[in-house]
Amino acid sequence: MALDQAASPERIGDTGVLRWPGTWRVYVATRSEEIRADAERALTIRDGAGQLVSVGEGIGRHLERGESYARSKHGLRRWLTGQAIEGAWSNVNSATVLLYGVLPTVELCGRAPEVVAIGRAYLPGDDPRLTHLQARLAAGDLGEDDRPLMQSVLRAAYTAQAMETGRVRSFRNLLLGGVVMLSLIVLSVVAIGAIWPDAVPMCGNQSVVQAQGLMPAQICPTGSLRPSRGDVPLVALIGMLGAALATAASLSTRSELSTRYSLAVVQNMLKAPAGVATSVLGLLILNSGFVPGFAGLGSQPAILVWAMAFGYGQQVVTRFVDQRADNLLMAASPLTPAGKGTRVA
C-alpha cells in the first residue's frame, strides 16, 4: 500500500501522541488518521495508476512529518515561533490537498460544499477560484475536471489561514514582551518607592483642612502621617485588585473564537501591571494639584478607593489592545467568513 511508509496507528500509539500537553496534538493525530483512512480507501477503489501511487506516498510523508511534530516535545523557542503547531498543521493541510487528488469522482463532488465552506472562511468573497467553484456547485455539474479547481481553493484557503494565525501568534509574542517590560518598569517603581518613600509620594496634602484644625497636613496610604516604605507597594496591590475586577468584568462579555492560538491569557496578564501603573500615576496626578478644583485626598480610605478606581481604569488603555486582539482572532477564525465583520487587512 502506498501509505505504508507513513506512521501507522501502532507506531503512533507506541511513541505516545498524547505524551506532551496540548489539545492541538489530539486534533492533528485524529485528522491524520482520517486522511490516512480516506487515502487508503480511495487508492484501493481506484487501484491505480502510477501517479496515484506517487500521490499516496506524498500523503504518507506529509502525515508522518505532521505526526512527528505532534509527538515531539518543544521548548520555549519553538513555542514562540509556532514551529511545532504550524509544522504539524501545514503537513496535515498539504496531505488534505493531495487527498483530493486521489478521491473517487463521486466522493470528490460530494465534498465540494466542504471545500466551499473552507474557502469562504479564509478567502475574499470575490476570489475568482472560489466564485468559479461556487458557480459550478450551484449549477450541479461538478466533475473530474473540477478536481484541480477544488485543490486550488483548498490550497489558497490554507495559505490564508496560516497567514492569519501567524499574525495572531506575532501579536501574542508582542503582548508577552509588553507584559515583561511593563512588569519590570512597575517593579522598579515599587522597589524605589519601598526603599525611598519620598521619591514616589503617595500621600495626600491637606493643608487647608489642617488650618481648620480637623486633621494633619498629610495622610498616606498606610495611614501614617508621613511617607513610609509600604505606601507604594500598598497602592500597587490595590491597583492590581482594581485590574482584577476589570478582568472579571471583561470575561463575562468576551467570546472565545476558534483559533490555533488564544490571546485571552496574555491579555489578562497585561492588565495586572497596567493596573499598578495607572493607580500609581493617578495618585501622583491627584496629589500634584494638576487637576483643577480637586481639593485633595482627605483620608486613607479615600486614597485606597482612588487607587482601586485607577487600577480598574486601566481598561481605558488596554481596551485598544483588546480590540486589536479581537480583530486578529476574528480574521483567523473559521467561524467568521472572509469579508464579513471586522477583518484584519
Side-chain angles (χ1 to χ4, degrees), residues 12-307:
I12 296 173
D14 293 340
T15 53
V17 171
L18 303 181
R19 183 178 179 182
W20 310 111
T23 54
W24 66 269
R25 302 176 190 270
V26 180
Y27 298 145
V28 167
T30 303
R31 182 59 184 149
S32 296
E33 287 306 308
E34 291 177 352
I35 296 172
R36 179 176 291 109
D38 287 340
E40 290 178 347
R41 176 176 48 81
L43 290 172
T44 301
I45 292 174
R46 301 187 70 176
D47 191 29
Q51 70 177 62
L52 294 183
V53 174
S54 177
V55 173
E57 292 175 351
I59 294 174
R61 286 192 295 270
H62 279 300
L63 295 180
E64 186 175 11
R65 293 192 195 104
E67 290 163 348
S68 176
Y69 279 112
R71 291 194 299 266
S72 303
K73 181 181 180 180
H74 300 278
L76 178 62
R77 182 178 62 84
R78 287 191 173 185
W79 178 76
L80 289 174
T81 60
Q83 181 177 356
I85 186 170
E86 295 300 333
W89 278 116
S90 176
N91 281 282
V92 169
N93 291 339
S94 295
T96 303
V97 174
L98 291 178
L99 174 64
Y100 276 77
V102 299
L103 289 175
T105 304
V106 175
E107 186 173 352
L108 177 75
C109 298
R111 295 195 181 195
E114 177 183 354
V115 177
V116 170
I118 295 174
R120 292 184 60 190
Y122 297 107
L123 297 177
D126 58 352
D127 185 273
R129 295 158 296 190
L130 180 60
T131 55
H132 187 194
L133 180 59
Q134 288 176 318
R136 297 283 293 171
L137 180 62
D141 59 352
L142 287 171
E144 180 67 26
D145 294 339
D146 297 301
R147 190 184 299 272
L149 175 62
M150 296 174 67
Q151 289 180 296
S152 177
V153 171
L154 273 181
R155 190 178 295 108
Y158 288 143
T159 300
Q161 180 192 37
M163 294 177 61
E164 298 293 355
T165 55
R167 288 172 178 161
V168 175
R169 183 181 65 255
S170 298
F171 190 68
R172 181 204 63 187
N173 295 344
L174 182 64
L175 283 181
L176 283 173
V179 169
V180 172
M181 291 184 61
L182 185 57
S183 298
L184 291 176
I185 294 173
V186 165
L187 286 174
S188 300
V189 172
V190 173
I192 292 173
I195 298 173
W196 301 289
D198 291 325
V200 189
M202 294 284 99
C203 302
N205 188 351
Q206 293 293 327
S207 57
V208 176
V209 179
Q210 182 194 31
Q212 299 175 358
L214 298 178
M215 61 174 53
Q218 277 191 333
I219 186 69
C220 300
T222 57
S224 62
L225 304 182
R226 56 177 299 177
S228 64
R229 295 177 181 271
D231 289 339
V232 178
L234 179 59
V235 169
L237 181 62
I238 298 300
M240 289 182 65
L241 177 59
L245 293 176
T247 301
S250 66
L251 289 177
S252 63
T253 58
R254 178 176 298 166
S255 57
E256 190 72 12
L257 295 173
S258 175
T259 58
R260 295 179 189 173
Y261 304 99
S262 174
L263 298 178
V265 175
V266 188
Q267 289 175 253
N268 294 333
M269 288 173 60
L270 180 64
K271 295 182 186 299
V276 175
T278 53
S279 61
V280 172
L281 289 175
L283 289 183
L284 284 175
I285 292 173
L286 291 182
N287 292 329
S288 68
F290 180 76
V291 181
F294 187 77
L297 299 172
S299 65
Q300 180 197 19
I303 295 176
L304 299 182
V305 168
W306 273 105

Side-chain angles (χ1 to χ4, degrees), residues 2-15:
L3 299 184
D4 287 345
Q5 298 178 355
S8 65
E10 290 75 13
R11 284 182 57 189
I12 296 173
D14 293 340
T15 53

